Amino acid sequence: MSTAHVQLLLTGNELMNGDIVDSNSAMVAQSFKTLGIKIQKKVTVADDLNLLVTEIKTISRCADLLIINGGLGPTSDDLTAQALALAANLPIKQHPDALAHLQKWCKTRAAVLNKSNLKQTLLPENCTLVANSVGSAVGFSLTLNGCLIICTPGVPHELQTMLDQQIQPLLQKTMNLNGEMDITRFQVFGLGESTLQTLIENAIPNWPDEVELGFRAGIPTLELKLTIENKQHTAIKNEVINKLKAILGAHIVAQITDKEKTLAEHVLNLCQQQNLKITLAESCTGGLIASELTKVSGASEVFEAGFITYSNAMKHKILAVDPAILEQCGAVSEETVIAMAQGALQQAGADISIAVSGIAGPSGGSQEKPVGSVWIAWGTKEQMFSQYFCIKGNRHYFQQMVMARALDLVRRMLLNNNEKPIYFL
């Protein structure tokens, strides 16, 4: 772990007013952690020039690295360049490379380069540019009181791009990094944080001090993270990983080595690998599963058609569900979803199908079938599976979880995993 003293300074009235939630500091912290850099302090201030100048001067006297986030835009409340120039007692000048970047950015988008935009080219004299390949405002850096100060945009996707493409490589060259930190990340589905923590504590009561265990909550998947600060502890970490795999089984969707994939991406990849077509018969999700699949580039190679049959009449007309089944068992039943899944296979000529029918609420439930009830069917012409769940929560949450569980059940099937899924969310 680097011994450098690192601080963050975030600026913006929106942050102070609660109009936007700060996610950028977490993004920076995660990026730096992979380098073995810990952030000691974070300060957030409004768009106030005097406050910014004071904080920059104060922090620069005690820190080795300061990341300033926000305030690089074209409007009058974007004050970072001016504040840093005042703190460093430097004039503001138009930077020719910043101007060239902005001109190219405008030309690419057929936008007019106006006076407001030009404000983004006025930077502290002799600063060093930090390229921004996706936004109009370049980042920049300079050293003040022995502290390296790097100014970054507040737009999250621009910040992430700069962290990956520019700032991480820069810090690897300029800071004394030991390069020993090693992080292993797993994508987990079907277990909430508290359940996951309890399972791990019960199975591994003597968790090794050398391995830091962390969680990043999310919906529908969460991230389980194992960190060692010295690579000589790799064997200990690997031993823990083997135990975790035995405990969690198919709840581990994948080890994350780069960008985290969605459940839909995992299912589509498996279908592609096995040369299989998939189809859908959706009722209570109203096309949400199809939407999730078609977010993925190349989905059309394995997903050609899906069917939204919300009413009983359409379940019969489009998917040939026997009216007697609907009458005797109801729309939310094992018999109905199996018939829907089989009908979708027939209509689409696919190899695999998913069918869902449930009660999203807030009304429509009964004692026998309460709000949150859902039947899911999945499988092939030769073998069809089905399972009942009761998912409590609002309508949006219910639909999201039905979508995710349906995709996860197919993922497990494609992996030939016979574990009975037990979901705790």
Side-chain angles (χ1 to χ4, degrees):
M1 183 64 69
S2 172
T3 58
H5 188 95
V6 181
Q7 294 197 28
L8 292 182
L9 175 58
L10 298 100
T11 176
N13 289 336
E14 299 89 349
L15 289 170
M16 299 301 294
N17 296 337
D19 293 332
I20 61 172
V21 176
D22 169 33
S23 60
N24 284 356
S25 58
M27 189 189 301
V28 175
Q30 289 290 331
S31 176
F32 282 13
K33 191 172 182 180
T34 63
L35 298 175
I37 299 173
K38 277 189 176 179
I39 296 169
Q40 280 77 20
K41 187 177 179 181
K42 176 179 76 171
V43 177
T44 305
V45 297
D47 295 314
D48 183 296
L49 187 61
N50 291 330
L51 275 176
L52 279 168
V53 172
T54 299
E55 289 295 339
I56 291 170
K57 286 181 177 179
T58 301
I59 295 171
S60 69
R61 293 189 186 104
C62 62
D64 301 304
L65 171 65
L66 168 62
I67 304 295
I68 303 178
N69 185 244
L72 302 189
T75 58
S76 59
D77 59 351
D78 291 307
L79 303 170
T80 295
Q82 185 181 354
L84 182 54
L86 287 170
N89 197 26
L90 293 170
I92 284 274
K93 290 189 174 182
Q94 187 172 74
H95 197 296
D97 292 336
L99 177 61
H101 166 83
L102 187 58
Q103 289 171 331
K104 181 180 179 181
W105 187 88
C106 288
K107 183 178 180 180
T108 302
R109 291 157 181 79
V112 177
L113 179 56
N114 55 40
K115 184 178 178 181
S116 294
N117 290 132
L118 286 171
K119 179 176 179 292
Q120 296 174 302
T121 68
L122 301 175
L123 305 178
E125 186 179 40
N126 297 325
C127 69
T128 300
L129 292 195
V130 180
N132 179 356
S133 62
V134 291
S136 61
V138 293
F140 50 94
S141 68
L142 59 79
T143 299
L144 175 63
N145 297 323
C147 174
L148 174 61
I149 301 175
I150 303 176
C151 300
T152 60
V155 181
H157 79 276
E158 294 183 23
L159 173 62
Q160 185 67 71
T161 301
M162 290 176 68
L163 285 167
D164 294 342
Q165 295 180 356
Q166 303 294 328
I167 297 174
Q168 279 199 355
L170 172 65
L171 297 181
Q172 286 172 328
K173 292 178 181 178
T174 59
M175 296 187 71
N176 182 25
L177 305 179
N178 57 30
E180 286 294 312
M181 178 172 284
D182 185 69
I183 301 174
T184 302
R185 301 155 62 217
F186 292 100
Q187 183 182 19
V188 177
F189 176 73
L191 300 172
E193 282 181 281
S194 59
T195 302
L196 188 54
Q197 180 75 65
T198 301
L199 279 173
I200 293 172
E201 286 177 354
N202 291 341
I204 314 176
N206 299 313
W207 186 271
D209 294 335
E210 296 86 353
V211 183
E212 178 186 333
L213 177 65
F215 306 94
R216 181 176 61 80
I219 293 177
T221 61
L222 62 79
E223 183 181 298
L224 175 66
K225 185 163 54 179
L226 304 174
T227 304
I228 54 173
E229 294 189 3
N230 193 317
K231 289 187 179 179
Q232 72 182 25
H233 299 139
T234 300
I236 300 172
K237 186 190 71 170
N238 289 340
E239 184 180 346
V240 170
I241 287 172
N242 290 334
K243 290 179 181 178
L244 287 174
K245 287 180 176 178
I247 298 162
L248 303 179
H251 286 292
I252 296 178
V253 178
Q255 182 172 336
I256 304 167
T257 55
D258 188 15
K259 181 181 176 291
E260 184 174 321
K261 292 184 175 69
T262 64
L263 288 168
E265 287 177 292
H266 287 296
V267 168
L268 290 169
N269 287 344
L270 287 167
C271 285
Q272 205 167 27
Q273 291 165 18
Q274 298 174 36
N275 196 29
L276 299 172
K277 302 280 188 181
I278 188 168
T279 188
L280 308 168
E282 299 185 64
S283 183
C284 59
T285 47
L288 183 62
I289 306 173
S291 174
E292 196 69 12
L293 290 176
T294 55
K295 285 178 184 176
V296 183
S297 177
S300 59
E301 293 181 22
V302 298
F303 175 61
E304 295 180 328
F307 308 93
I308 304 171
T309 53
Y310 209 56
S311 70
N312 285 355
M314 289 299 105
K315 289 178 176 65
H316 169 63
K317 183 176 181 179
I318 297 174
L319 300 176
V321 178
D322 191 335
I325 291 176
L326 292 165
E327 178 67 28
Q328 295 166 17
C329 305
V332 183
S333 65
E334 182 176 25
E335 293 84 356
T336 293
V337 289
I338 288 175
M340 288 170 64
Q342 291 170 337
L345 283 173
Q346 183 67 31
Q347 286 285 78
D351 304 295
I352 300 168
S353 68
I354 301 172
V356 296
S357 186
I359 306 169
S363 60
S366 66
Q367 189 171 353
E368 295 79 20
K369 297 177 183 179
V371 170
S373 293
V374 62
W375 273 97
I376 301 175
W378 69 100
T380 64
K381 291 178 182 177
E382 293 73 30
Q383 188 173 28
M384 192 64 66
F385 305 92
S386 59
Q387 191 160 345
Y388 168 83
F389 300 101
C390 189
I391 301 172
K392 297 297 184 182
N394 62 34
R395 193 176 182 88
H396 174 75
Y397 178 82
F398 169 84
Q399 291 177 325
Q400 289 288 326
M401 287 302 104
V402 172
M403 174 270 293
R405 290 188 188 189
L407 290 172
D408 186 61
L409 290 165
V410 171
R411 176 187 69 86
R412 289 167 176 255
M413 182 190 74
L414 292 170
L415 291 171
N416 293 316
N417 187 286
N418 297 317
E419 292 177 26
K420 185 176 177 63
I422 303 172
Y423 297 126
F424 298 94
L425 289 173

